Amino acid sequence: MTDTDVPGNYGPNGRILDGPGPRSIILDCDPGHDDAFAIMLARGSPGIDLRAITTVAGNQTLEKVTRNARAVATICGITGVPIAAGAAAPLVRPLRVAADIHGASGMDGPALPAPTVPLDPRHGVDVIVETVRSQPAGSITLVPTGPLTNIALAARLAPDIVGRVREVVLMGGGYGGGNVTAAAEFNILADPEAAHIVFGAAWPVTMVGLDVTHQALATPEIAARIADLGTAPAAFAVELLEFFGRMYSAAQGFAAPPVHDPCAVALVADPAVVALRPAHVEIERTGTHTTGMTVTDFIGRGGVALDHRVGVELNRDLFWDMMIAAIAAISEG
Ligand code: BDR
Ligand code: CA
């Protein structure tokens, strides 16, 4: 297949600027309750063609989040999608997990089945590189919903893929403050050096941060709509929300849990779901109180190029309609 086999308007490096959907994505995740919703949306949305799931240590150890990813795939009947384990630790810093939100397993709450879907024997970073190289330039979107370790390693290992990836649409960061510290969001704080590499590479980067994802609250009404679907994946989703809601209430005082990660998938499936603004984002790596902060400039002070896009508002109704339709569409394992 050649680069021009995919119809669409090609930009620099052969990137497709407005080709027809669905969008082909690699979901790089650390399940994680909200990562599980990202997997379900990626599988069930007509706007997404899920090419691979790669895992990264974050919410829990690599072993645990990889088992969780395979368990989600098993519950949701996801077959034929490579699932591969990536980096077991951040580039520089020690591993930091989020047991206060996701529990000891990384996905506490529902009983998880023994996975029946296989683990791809390749390293997750190799799966990212090989998948991008095997597809027409400009066709694969990377959707990281955990620390950016794998994505940074892929960019360093195979710089040619930076010019072949359509875009990176990540859940992480925020311009209005953090959730682990006053300044920093978990995914960026967990591996700020990796985030620095990813935001600094010459591929388009869109940040879907807490400013957007704190609008994606799974209220009791949303949980009831999911429960009404009456399927095993829906029951699993409701059990995830019950635990996630309790933890977010105890840890951060939320009335309903913010379901962060599928917001990035939803934006790829339908640009109408998240309003974006051009900006430039720098990653704080040496701050005394601000390490992991995504320092966001919407103005371009000192002539800095507004070379990133930053999510500012979620279309809540559209988001939840997409999410619930996707859960309804996935078959049971
Ligand atoms: C992010 O951190 C993780 O705990 C969630 O899965 C999400 O990706 C939110 O800060
Ligand atoms: Ca995550």
Side-chain angles (χ1 to χ4, degrees), residues 1-7 10 13-14 16 133 135-139 164:
M1 191 178 245
T2 67
D3 289 0
T4 50
D5 284 340
V6 176
Y10 285 78
N13 298 320
I16 303 167
R133 283 181 176 161
Q135 297 302 308
S139 61
R164 294 184 67 85

Side-chain angles (χ1 to χ4, degrees), residues 148-191:
L148 290 163
T149 321
N150 287 341
I151 309 300
L153 286 169
R156 284 290 196 254
L157 177 70
D160 59 291
I161 72 161
V162 172
R164 294 184 67 85
V165 161
R166 183 178 192 274
E167 57 180 334
V168 179
V169 180
L170 64 95
M171 189 284 131
Y175 55 87
N179 58 359
V180 181
T181 70
E185 179 279 334
F186 177 79
N187 289 340
I188 306 298
L189 181 63
D191 196 343

